[in-house]
Amino acid sequence: MDLGVLLGVVHVTTTRVFFATDVHGSERCFLKFINASKFYKAKILILGGDITGKMVMPIVRKKDGSWRSQMFGNEMVATSEEQTLKIEKEIRNSGYYPFRTTEAEMVELRSDKAKVDALFTRMMCETVTRWVEIARQRLTGTGAVCYISPGNDDRLNIDQYLVSNEVVINPEMKVVHLTPRHEMISLGYTNQTPWHSPREVAEEKLEQMISSLAEQVNDMPNAIFNLHCPPAHTVIDQAPKLDVTLKPVISGGQIEMMGAGSNAVRDAIEKHQPVLGLHGHVHESKGVAKIGPTICLNPGSEYGEGILRGLIFELEEEGGLRNYMFTSG
Amino acid sequence: MSSSKESLGFIREATGLTREISGKTALVGNLLSMGVAGSFFYAFFSSLLFPGTNLPMGVLFAIVPSIVVAYVYYVLAVAMPRTGGDYVWISRIINPTTGFTTNFMITLGIMQAFATAIGLSVVTYGISPMLAGLGILYGSSDLVNLALYILKPMPTFVIILVFQLIAVAPNFIGTKATFGAAWVMFIISAAGAFVTMFAFLSAPQAVFVSNFNSLSGMNYSDVIAKAGLPAGFSLQNTLYGAIFTILSYVGFSFSSYYSGEIKRVARSQLVAIIGSVLLFSVFIGGVYAAAYYSVGADFLNAISNLAGTGSSSYALPVAPSLNFLVLFATPNPAVVVLSGIALVAMGIGTVMVYYYTVVRNLFAWSFDRVMPSWFARLDKRGIPTVGIAVMWLISVFFALLYAFTVFTQFLLYMTVLFTIGMAVACLSGAIFPYRRKALFESSPEIVRKKMGGVPLITVFGAIGFVLMAFLSYAAVSPAITAPPSGPPVVQAIIYAAVPLTIIMGIVIYQVAYHYRKSKGIDMNLLFQEIPPE
């Protein structure tokens, strides 16, 4: 068929899809993700899980009326609303949540974990709401559709704000049709991690969750498993081994790596043999793994640097996967 | 929930937030990856090719480009901590063709080192001088003859094959086994290097002269007279001689490939990378200074000249590398053996890591669709058996070239591939603030430091580019190094090796590009930045 395509004899109709994952609150990466539709000519965008940030960055009002914040060892000072908005944008682009506050409130927050926790939840929900609206505004009328699902690091509170509209769909724990021939199941839950994240469960439970989704698929050889956790014992689940203090273990002068993937995910792929597995969760493990006929892909993540790592792939109209390519936008 | 010490912010418990590796750990890792024992034969090369070179001063000259290049690598690693190195940096900042071609060149340079690293470190300058030294000490002509015998083509080839198998074996077991074994080799090598240094320091020149005159069958003063070289040092030749010392510094950047998720100033990485360059300079300078103290600079230049020019006045069985000359400083078989083992261990450890590095590069090319996907195929244990086996077969080919042809001259020319690679990496560092403005502006303060309004990475990158470009020229210029010998067709091939390698890289990338384009994928999109607005 490739020769026929090369000779221009055979015409193959495909749907181009762009997949990225683990943007962790980086607004720069999210905006790039939405623009990827135009940039890569992709009709479908899929954002795998872990969309919320890990840090709240206060911008503190000082007695002299200025606003001050500190990031990467650099103090940022704003004396006007325009400058303050610029600082907020810089903070958002790095994956953090800007928060305007006072010195008195800072003292309170430093001694009240519950208040900080509530602040995080509020920031996450507000950002998700804003992102969904940005996606709707930029994609409406373009013909592109965007799937955004949560991952293990995303609190359950955001689900009510990750609402589907005409161009943004939350596929979490559902079966959706990317094309008439390609169904996709999505699951942001993972196996257990040292960080006790909001959506992590035991392997047995993960297996049940995946099975209940897989049972609903009609055309498994053309199905796509959008499972945030990568399959175990592959190149795409290798994460640094950590000691009890969460410091990477050095062995033979190198950081020792270990598999952080899920056996349940691997077993499900081996059993059901979908055409494609889309994964994230382990940022360092960009790569390809083949489990039987299934190609499993993890584009990795460099959200902290504002670089959108992703994956373009093409689904053939008659079924199957035509091609794929990693990107680094 | 915690607050960050380096900012006002609040961090929540989230996947991937780890503590940073300590600077001390990273420093030790870098140091041990830089082969001090290589100085044993670099001393001979430099003294032969650049008579009048001052080896310890050459180290001072070597520090400058090494620190410059180390700084560029450090800054790029802080700006892009999880990219896996210069292949992606160059692809992102310049373009994918340049990124792949540079990485291809360096990979090919590493592949030829599968044979030359073992050939030189294990056979020619490791086991052979060790046997010859023991032969002299014990008055055993059998040992001396064995030392000469293993330098013949077939024995050299067989020994290289054996040690290539030793080096590749841990790779078939896994990453931990590979680096664990390499680590042991590097520790042994460093220990042997220190033993050699202290052996020289324990023998003032009068002791060396007396032992040399009684054991070698030659006369110390006659050696200097017969070589007829001017006494003292030449500044120009010291500069050129530093080329080999600079090559020893490869390995300083191992710690640049990992950084934490919450960006910190990464001072520990700065300590590790810059610190390892400085400390290594002290060690290697110490070896050279110790050798000069005992052996004498004029004598080292003279005996290297006599050996390298094939003079009939040279009566020693093997070349005067430092691990051979040490027997005249301290006629102790344990010192002779440990000194030889230092080089053998360095060769094995280096090639162990080289097999791993090349296979990892193949993976990266395969993921980026430049090479076929079977390059990244794993067996049931998750080991890239096919890739490693292919690399071993290629290394056997280079072993044949090394043992049976004059292509050992490739060494100097193929090292140009490394220096060109570093030059391109420095160039990408220099233009980084302008080509990737947003990334630069959002990087930690250490990346954005400026001098007179110009980013420091631009200043260092530009200097590094000029320095490494000059070194690349110097390494192959007939006015500076000896031109290749052999029939004209051999000379032509050696001269053409470097430009051919560059052309090969460009052609491979373009073939892959057009093939993927026919399948509907534009590889130019690989590293193009998507505008966020």
Side-chain angles (χ1 to χ4, degrees), chain B residues 31-61:
Chain B
L31 271 174
L32 284 174
S33 303
M34 298 155 81
V36 175
S39 60
F40 294 171
F41 55 80
Y42 288 147
F44 166 53
F45 291 169
S46 294
S47 303
L48 166 65
L49 293 171
F50 310 111
T53 188
N54 182 326
L55 293 171
M57 193 183 293
V59 172
L60 292 178
F61 288 142

PDB file of all heavy atoms in Angstrom, chain B residues 31-61:
ATOM      1  N   LEU B  31      33.812  13.023  37.741  1.00  0.00           N
ATOM      2  CA  LEU B  31      35.261  12.830  37.821  1.00  0.00           C
ATOM      3  C   LEU B  31      35.673  11.442  37.370  1.00  0.00           C
ATOM      4  O   LEU B  31      36.637  11.252  36.634  1.00  0.00           O
ATOM      5  CB  LEU B  31      35.737  13.052  39.261  1.00  0.00           C
ATOM      6  CG  LEU B  31      36.113  14.481  39.633  1.00  0.00           C
ATOM      7  CD1 LEU B  31      36.425  14.575  41.110  1.00  0.00           C
ATOM      8  CD2 LEU B  31      37.290  14.960  38.806  1.00  0.00           C
ATOM      9  N   LEU B  32      34.920  10.457  37.876  1.00  0.00           N
ATOM     10  CA  LEU B  32      35.317   9.088  37.551  1.00  0.00           C
ATOM     11  C   LEU B  32      35.067   8.749  36.089  1.00  0.00           C
ATOM     12  O   LEU B  32      35.650   7.810  35.560  1.00  0.00           O
ATOM     13  CB  LEU B  32      34.598   8.099  38.476  1.00  0.00           C
ATOM     14  CG  LEU B  32      35.188   8.058  39.899  1.00  0.00           C
ATOM     15  CD1 LEU B  32      34.363   7.178  40.799  1.00  0.00           C
ATOM     16  CD2 LEU B  32      36.613   7.551  39.876  1.00  0.00           C
ATOM     17  N   SER B  33      34.188   9.519  35.425  1.00  0.00           N
ATOM     18  CA  SER B  33      33.937   9.262  34.006  1.00  0.00           C
ATOM     19  C   SER B  33      34.993   9.896  33.120  1.00  0.00           C
ATOM     20  O   SER B  33      35.006   9.665  31.917  1.00  0.00           O
ATOM     21  CB  SER B  33      32.561   9.810  33.611  1.00  0.00           C
ATOM     22  OG  SER B  33      31.563   9.253  34.414  1.00  0.00           O
ATOM     23  N   MET B  34      35.857  10.733  33.699  1.00  0.00           N
ATOM     24  CA  MET B  34      36.899  11.396  32.918  1.00  0.00           C
ATOM     25  C   MET B  34      38.196  10.614  33.145  1.00  0.00           C
ATOM     26  O   MET B  34      38.671  10.519  34.257  1.00  0.00           O
ATOM     27  CB  MET B  34      37.053  12.854  33.395  1.00  0.00           C
ATOM     28  CG  MET B  34      35.773  13.665  33.198  1.00  0.00           C
ATOM     29  SD  MET B  34      35.627  15.069  34.328  1.00  0.00           S
ATOM     30  CE  MET B  34      36.666  16.261  33.493  1.00  0.00           C
ATOM     31  N   GLY B  35      38.775  10.042  32.135  1.00  0.00           N
ATOM     32  CA  GLY B  35      39.887   9.102  32.291  1.00  0.00           C
ATOM     33  C   GLY B  35      41.246   9.726  32.550  1.00  0.00           C
ATOM     34  O   GLY B  35      41.929  10.163  31.617  1.00  0.00           O
ATOM     35  N   VAL B  36      41.645   9.753  33.819  1.00  0.00           N
ATOM     36  CA  VAL B  36      42.969  10.293  34.162  1.00  0.00           C
ATOM     37  C   VAL B  36      44.065   9.460  33.505  1.00  0.00           C
ATOM     38  O   VAL B  36      45.085   9.979  33.058  1.00  0.00           O
ATOM     39  CB  VAL B  36      43.170  10.301  35.694  1.00  0.00           C
ATOM     40  CG1 VAL B  36      44.579  10.749  36.056  1.00  0.00           C
ATOM     41  CG2 VAL B  36      42.160  11.217  36.358  1.00  0.00           C
ATOM     42  N   ALA B  37      43.857   8.139  33.430  1.00  0.00           N
ATOM     43  CA  ALA B  37      44.906   7.248  32.919  1.00  0.00           C
ATOM     44  C   ALA B  37      45.231   7.519  31.451  1.00  0.00           C
ATOM     45  O   ALA B  37      46.301   7.147  30.977  1.00  0.00           O
ATOM     46  CB  ALA B  37      44.495   5.793  33.116  1.00  0.00           C
ATOM     47  N   GLY B  38      44.312   8.152  30.738  1.00  0.00           N
ATOM     48  CA  GLY B  38      44.596   8.482  29.342  1.00  0.00           C
ATOM     49  C   GLY B  38      45.834   9.360  29.215  1.00  0.00           C
ATOM     50  O   GLY B  38      46.500   9.373  28.168  1.00  0.00           O
ATOM     51  N   SER B  39      46.142  10.098  30.275  1.00  0.00           N
ATOM     52  CA  SER B  39      47.322  10.978  30.251  1.00  0.00           C
ATOM     53  C   SER B  39      48.602  10.183  30.041  1.00  0.00           C
ATOM     54  O   SER B  39      49.603  10.725  29.576  1.00  0.00           O
ATOM     55  CB  SER B  39      47.417  11.767  31.562  1.00  0.00           C
ATOM     56  OG  SER B  39      47.527  10.881  32.666  1.00  0.00           O
ATOM     57  N   PHE B  40      48.601   8.873  30.360  1.00  0.00           N
ATOM     58  CA  PHE B  40      49.814   8.062  30.236  1.00  0.00           C
ATOM     59  C   PHE B  40      50.304   8.025  28.793  1.00  0.00           C
ATOM     60  O   PHE B  40      51.504   8.113  28.536  1.00  0.00           O
ATOM     61  CB  PHE B  40      49.568   6.627  30.704  1.00  0.00           C
ATOM     62  CG  PHE B  40      49.268   6.496  32.168  1.00  0.00           C
ATOM     63  CD1 PHE B  40      48.842   5.271  32.688  1.00  0.00           C
ATOM     64  CD2 PHE B  40      49.386   7.551  33.033  1.00  0.00           C
ATOM     65  CE1 PHE B  40      48.558   5.126  34.051  1.00  0.00           C
ATOM     66  CE2 PHE B  40      49.112   7.426  34.387  1.00  0.00           C
ATOM     67  CZ  PHE B  40      48.697   6.207  34.901  1.00  0.00           C
ATOM     68  N   PHE B  41      49.359   7.861  27.831  1.00  0.00           N
ATOM     69  CA  PHE B  41      49.832   7.841  26.444  1.00  0.00           C
ATOM     70  C   PHE B  41      49.654   9.194  25.747  1.00  0.00           C
ATOM     71  O   PHE B  41      50.318   9.477  24.766  1.00  0.00           O
ATOM     72  CB  PHE B  41      49.219   6.700  25.613  1.00  0.00           C
ATOM     73  CG  PHE B  41      47.725   6.620  25.573  1.00  0.00           C
ATOM     74  CD1 PHE B  41      46.983   7.425  24.739  1.00  0.00           C
ATOM     75  CD2 PHE B  41      47.069   5.682  26.356  1.00  0.00           C
ATOM     76  CE1 PHE B  41      45.603   7.313  24.691  1.00  0.00           C
ATOM     77  CE2 PHE B  41      45.681   5.562  26.308  1.00  0.00           C
ATOM     78  CZ  PHE B  41      44.942   6.378  25.471  1.00  0.00           C
ATOM     79  N   TYR B  42      48.769  10.038  26.276  1.00  0.00           N
ATOM     80  CA  TYR B  42      48.693  11.379  25.711  1.00  0.00           C
ATOM     81  C   TYR B  42      50.018  12.112  25.904  1.00  0.00           C
ATOM     82  O   TYR B  42      50.412  12.937  25.079  1.00  0.00           O
ATOM     83  CB  TYR B  42      47.564  12.184  26.341  1.00  0.00           C
ATOM     84  CG  TYR B  42      46.181  11.745  25.907  1.00  0.00           C
ATOM     85  CD1 TYR B  42      45.104  11.817  26.782  1.00  0.00           C
ATOM     86  CD2 TYR B  42      45.948  11.274  24.625  1.00  0.00           C
ATOM     87  CE1 TYR B  42      43.836  11.418  26.395  1.00  0.00           C
ATOM     88  CE2 TYR B  42      44.681  10.872  24.221  1.00  0.00           C
ATOM     89  CZ  TYR B  42      43.631  10.943  25.112  1.00  0.00           C
ATOM     90  OH  TYR B  42      42.386  10.538  24.729  1.00  0.00           O
ATOM     91  N   ALA B  43      50.713  11.824  27.020  1.00  0.00           N
ATOM     92  CA  ALA B  43      52.014  12.441  27.267  1.00  0.00           C
ATOM     93  C   ALA B  43      52.985  12.089  26.139  1.00  0.00           C
ATOM     94  O   ALA B  43      53.739  12.934  25.655  1.00  0.00           O
ATOM     95  CB  ALA B  43      52.573  11.979  28.609  1.00  0.00           C
ATOM     96  N   PHE B  44      52.953  10.829  25.703  1.00  0.00           N
ATOM     97  CA  PHE B  44      53.823  10.375  24.616  1.00  0.00           C
ATOM     98  C   PHE B  44      53.411  11.043  23.296  1.00  0.00           C
ATOM     99  O   PHE B  44      54.253  11.572  22.560  1.00  0.00           O
ATOM    100  CB  PHE B  44      53.758   8.859  24.513  1.00  0.00           C
ATOM    101  CG  PHE B  44      54.337   8.274  23.251  1.00  0.00           C
ATOM    102  CD1 PHE B  44      55.621   8.589  22.836  1.00  0.00           C
ATOM    103  CD2 PHE B  44      53.596   7.398  22.464  1.00  0.00           C
ATOM    104  CE1 PHE B  44      56.155   8.063  21.673  1.00  0.00           C
ATOM    105  CE2 PHE B  44      54.112   6.852  21.308  1.00  0.00           C
ATOM    106  CZ  PHE B  44      55.406   7.195  20.900  1.00  0.00           C
ATOM    107  N   PHE B  45      52.108  11.040  23.000  1.00  0.00           N
ATOM    108  CA  PHE B  45      51.635  11.631  21.739  1.00  0.00           C
ATOM    109  C   PHE B  45      52.031  13.100  21.648  1.00  0.00           C
ATOM    110  O   PHE B  45      52.545  13.564  20.623  1.00  0.00           O
ATOM    111  CB  PHE B  45      50.109  11.546  21.634  1.00  0.00           C
ATOM    112  CG  PHE B  45      49.548  10.168  21.453  1.00  0.00           C
ATOM    113  CD1 PHE B  45      48.187   9.933  21.565  1.00  0.00           C
ATOM    114  CD2 PHE B  45      50.366   9.085  21.167  1.00  0.00           C
ATOM    115  CE1 PHE B  45      47.654   8.664  21.388  1.00  0.00           C
ATOM    116  CE2 PHE B  45      49.848   7.811  21.001  1.00  0.00           C
ATOM    117  CZ  PHE B  45      48.484   7.609  21.110  1.00  0.00           C
ATOM    118  N   SER B  46      51.721  13.828  22.733  1.00  0.00           N
ATOM    119  CA  SER B  46      51.995  15.267  22.719  1.00  0.00           C
ATOM    120  C   SER B  46      53.480  15.550  22.574  1.00  0.00           C
ATOM    121  O   SER B  46      53.899  16.412  21.799  1.00  0.00           O
ATOM    122  CB  SER B  46      51.470  15.928  23.999  1.00  0.00           C
ATOM    123  OG  SER B  46      50.077  15.875  24.059  1.00  0.00           O
ATOM    124  N   SER B  47      54.287  14.825  23.351  1.00  0.00           N
ATOM    125  CA  SER B  47      55.736  15.051  23.319  1.00  0.00           C
ATOM    126  C   SER B  47      56.318  14.700  21.954  1.00  0.00           C
ATOM    127  O   SER B  47      57.245  15.352  21.470  1.00  0.00           O
ATOM    128  CB  SER B  47      56.428  14.224  24.411  1.00  0.00           C
ATOM    129  OG  SER B  47      55.908  14.537  25.681  1.00  0.00           O
ATOM    130  N   LEU B  48      55.773  13.664  21.319  1.00  0.00           N
ATOM    131  CA  LEU B  48      56.265  13.258  19.991  1.00  0.00           C
ATOM    132  C   LEU B  48      55.858  14.260  18.916  1.00  0.00           C
ATOM    133  O   LEU B  48      56.675  14.709  18.119  1.00  0.00           O
ATOM    134  CB  LEU B  48      55.706  11.869  19.643  1.00  0.00           C
ATOM    135  CG  LEU B  48      55.821  11.425  18.178  1.00  0.00           C
ATOM    136  CD1 LEU B  48      57.289  11.255  17.790  1.00  0.00           C
ATOM    137  CD2 LEU B  48      55.062  10.124  17.940  1.00  0.00           C
ATOM    138  N   LEU B  49      54.575  14.599  18.900  1.00  0.00           N
ATOM    139  CA  LEU B  49      54.059  15.434  17.818  1.00  0.00           C
ATOM    140  C   LEU B  49      54.405  16.908  18.011  1.00  0.00           C
ATOM    141  O   LEU B  49      54.533  17.636  17.026  1.00  0.00           O
ATOM    142  CB  LEU B  49      52.537  15.281  17.721  1.00  0.00           C
ATOM    143  CG  LEU B  49      52.059  13.900  17.277  1.00  0.00           C
ATOM    144  CD1 LEU B  49      50.543  13.795  17.422  1.00  0.00           C
ATOM    145  CD2 LEU B  49      52.470  13.620  15.841  1.00  0.00           C
ATOM    146  N   PHE B  50      54.542  17.305  19.268  1.00  0.00           N
ATOM    147  CA  PHE B  50      54.788  18.726  19.544  1.00  0.00           C
ATOM    148  C   PHE B  50      55.984  18.865  20.480  1.00  0.00           C
ATOM    149  O   PHE B  50      55.828  19.177  21.662  1.00  0.00           O
ATOM    150  CB  PHE B  50      53.540  19.357  20.168  1.00  0.00           C
ATOM    151  CG  PHE B  50      52.266  19.069  19.407  1.00  0.00           C
ATOM    152  CD1 PHE B  50      51.291  18.244  19.939  1.00  0.00           C
ATOM    153  CD2 PHE B  50      52.063  19.594  18.149  1.00  0.00           C
ATOM    154  CE1 PHE B  50      50.131  17.963  19.242  1.00  0.00           C
ATOM    155  CE2 PHE B  50      50.912  19.316  17.434  1.00  0.00           C
ATOM    156  CZ  PHE B  50      49.944  18.499  17.985  1.00  0.00           C
ATOM    157  N   PRO B  51      57.184  18.589  19.975  1.00  0.00           N
ATOM    158  CA  PRO B  51      58.352  18.657  20.856  1.00  0.00           C
ATOM    159  C   PRO B  51      58.447  20.027  21.510  1.00  0.00           C
ATOM    160  O   PRO B  51      58.196  21.042  20.866  1.00  0.00           O
ATOM    161  CB  PRO B  51      59.538  18.452  19.898  1.00  0.00           C
ATOM    162  CG  PRO B  51      58.982  17.970  18.624  1.00  0.00           C
ATOM    163  CD  PRO B  51      57.547  18.325  18.573  1.00  0.00           C
ATOM    164  N   GLY B  52      58.814  20.023  22.775  1.00  0.00           N
ATOM    165  CA  GLY B  52      58.883  21.286  23.498  1.00  0.00           C
ATOM    166  C   GLY B  52      57.580  21.601  24.196  1.00  0.00           C
ATOM    167  O   GLY B  52      57.437  22.654  24.829  1.00  0.00           O
ATOM    168  N   THR B  53      56.573  20.692  24.073  1.00  0.00           N
ATOM    169  CA  THR B  53      55.322  20.940  24.775  1.00  0.00           C
ATOM    170  C   THR B  53      55.554  20.855  26.279  1.00  0.00           C
ATOM    171  O   THR B  53      56.343  20.030  26.738  1.00  0.00           O
ATOM    172  CB  THR B  53      54.242  19.928  24.336  1.00  0.00           C
ATOM    173  OG1 THR B  53      52.989  20.303  24.906  1.00  0.00           O
ATOM    174  CG2 THR B  53      54.567  18.517  24.779  1.00  0.00           C
ATOM    175  N   ASN B  54      54.895  21.715  27.014  1.00  0.00           N
ATOM    176  CA  ASN B  54      54.967  21.684  28.474  1.00  0.00           C
ATOM    177  C   ASN B  54      53.638  21.095  28.943  1.00  0.00           C
ATOM    178  O   ASN B  54      52.618  21.775  28.911  1.00  0.00           O
ATOM    179  CB  ASN B  54      55.163  23.102  29.026  1.00  0.00           C
ATOM    180  CG  ASN B  54      55.282  23.115  30.536  1.00  0.00           C
ATOM    181  OD1 ASN B  54      54.658  22.308  31.236  1.00  0.00           O
ATOM    182  ND2 ASN B  54      56.081  24.025  31.059  1.00  0.00           N
ATOM    183  N   LEU B  55      53.662  19.829  29.320  1.00  0.00           N
ATOM    184  CA  LEU B  55      52.415  19.121  29.615  1.00  0.00           C
ATOM    185  C   LEU B  55      51.609  19.745  30.757  1.00  0.00           C
ATOM    186  O   LEU B  55      50.406  19.952  30.605  1.00  0.00           O
ATOM    187  CB  LEU B  55      52.694  17.642  29.903  1.00  0.00           C
ATOM    188  CG  LEU B  55      53.191  16.843  28.687  1.00  0.00           C
ATOM    189  CD1 LEU B  55      53.644  15.454  29.108  1.00  0.00           C
ATOM    190  CD2 LEU B  55      52.104  16.734  27.627  1.00  0.00           C
ATOM    191  N   PRO B  56      52.217  20.052  31.915  1.00  0.00           N
ATOM    192  CA  PRO B  56      51.400  20.658  32.979  1.00  0.00           C
ATOM    193  C   PRO B  56      50.824  22.006  32.550  1.00  0.00           C
ATOM    194  O   PRO B  56      49.680  22.314  32.844  1.00  0.00           O
ATOM    195  CB  PRO B  56      52.386  20.818  34.141  1.00  0.00           C
ATOM    196  CG  PRO B  56      53.443  19.799  33.894  1.00  0.00           C
ATOM    197  CD  PRO B  56      53.576  19.736  32.401  1.00  0.00           C
ATOM    198  N   MET B  57      51.615  22.794  31.822  1.00  0.00           N
ATOM    199  CA  MET B  57      51.100  24.083  31.353  1.00  0.00           C
ATOM    200  C   MET B  57      49.997  23.848  30.335  1.00  0.00           C
ATOM    201  O   MET B  57      49.032  24.609  30.254  1.00  0.00           O
ATOM    202  CB  MET B  57      52.217  24.930  30.742  1.00  0.00           C
ATOM    203  CG  MET B  57      51.761  26.392  30.535  1.00  0.00           C
ATOM    204  SD  MET B  57      52.969  27.440  29.738  1.00  0.00           S
ATOM    205  CE  MET B  57      54.221  27.516  30.978  1.00  0.00           C
ATOM    206  N   GLY B  58      50.150  22.786  29.557  1.00  0.00           N
ATOM    207  CA  GLY B  58      49.112  22.439  28.591  1.00  0.00           C
ATOM    208  C   GLY B  58      47.779  22.187  29.268  1.00  0.00           C
ATOM    209  O   GLY B  58      46.720  22.475  28.711  1.00  0.00           O
ATOM    210  N   VAL B  59      47.836  21.653  30.485  1.00  0.00           N
ATOM    211  CA  VAL B  59      46.602  21.446  31.233  1.00  0.00           C
ATOM    212  C   VAL B  59      45.929  22.786  31.525  1.00  0.00           C
ATOM    213  O   VAL B  59      44.704  22.914  31.434  1.00  0.00           O
ATOM    214  CB  VAL B  59      46.883  20.689  32.555  1.00  0.00           C
ATOM    215  CG1 VAL B  59      45.646  20.642  33.434  1.00  0.00           C
ATOM    216  CG2 VAL B  59      47.379  19.283  32.270  1.00  0.00           C
ATOM    217  N   LEU B  60      46.743  23.785  31.865  1.00  0.00           N
ATOM    218  CA  LEU B  60      46.175  25.118  32.116  1.00  0.00           C
ATOM    219  C   LEU B  60      45.486  25.640  30.855  1.00  0.00           C
ATOM    220  O   LEU B  60      44.412  26.241  30.929  1.00  0.00           O
ATOM    221  CB  LEU B  60      47.278  26.089  32.549  1.00  0.00           C
ATOM    222  CG  LEU B  60      47.901  25.832  33.917  1.00  0.00           C
ATOM    223  CD1 LEU B  60      49.009  26.834  34.206  1.00  0.00           C
ATOM    224  CD2 LEU B  60      46.856  25.871  35.021  1.00  0.00           C
ATOM    225  N   PHE B  61      46.118  25.398  29.696  1.00  0.00           N
ATOM    226  CA  PHE B  61      45.487  25.816  28.439  1.00  0.00           C
ATOM    227  C   PHE B  61      44.208  25.011  28.205  1.00  0.00           C
ATOM    228  O   PHE B  61      43.241  25.531  27.671  1.00  0.00           O
ATOM    229  CB  PHE B  61      46.429  25.613  27.254  1.00  0.00           C
ATOM    230  CG  PHE B  61      47.576  26.580  27.209  1.00  0.00           C
ATOM    231  CD1 PHE B  61      48.843  26.169  26.810  1.00  0.00           C
ATOM    232  CD2 PHE B  61      47.403  27.910  27.567  1.00  0.00           C
ATOM    233  CE1 PHE B  61      49.903  27.059  26.772  1.00  0.00           C
ATOM    234  CE2 PHE B  61      48.463  28.808  27.540  1.00  0.00           C
ATOM    235  CZ  PHE B  61      49.721  28.377  27.135  1.00  0.00           C
TER     236      PHE B  61
END
